[in-house]
Amino acid sequence: GIYVCAKCGHELFSSRAKYEHSSPWPAFTETLHRDSVAKREERPGALKVSCGKCGNGLGHEFLNDGPMRGQSRF
């Protein structure tokens, strides 16, 4: 399936990029499209992530915290 922004319906993530993580929120290794999200650095190793279309807050991208070495976790 496709995960979309709750505010505008913009496509964000594919269920193929979803994986189990210890956090209570869904975790993804990558976005669906290059313009799915907008990012800005919040602190070293963590980017604030918002919808690429409407700017709705989506959480964070944690760099090098994915299931494989070098992958991010959204």
Side-chain angles (χ1 to χ4, degrees), residues 12 36-40 48-59:
L12 304 170
S36 290
V37 302
K39 307 173 192 180
R40 67 175 172 78
K48 189 75 169 168
V49 177
S50 58
C51 174
K53 183 175 182 183
C54 73
N56 187 35
L58 301 173

Side-chain angles (χ1 to χ4, degrees), residues 2-68:
I2 303 295
Y3 290 80
V4 300
C5 175
K7 189 172 179 182
C8 74
H10 188 59
E11 293 182 338
L12 304 170
F13 304 100
S14 167
S15 60
R16 291 184 208 159
K18 187 176 178 182
Y19 70 98
E20 291 296 322
H21 187 268
S22 60
S23 73
W25 299 279
F28 302 90
T29 55
E30 62 187 359
T31 60
L32 188 60
H33 304 291
R34 185 174 210 135
D35 67 347
S36 290
V37 302
K39 307 173 192 180
R40 67 175 172 78
E41 187 171 8
E42 185 171 77
R43 63 181 192 272
L47 307 174
K48 189 75 169 168
V49 177
S50 58
C51 174
K53 183 175 182 183
C54 73
N56 187 35
L58 301 173
H60 294 85
E61 175 182 0
F62 297 99
L63 306 176
N64 299 311
D65 191 39
M68 294 174 50

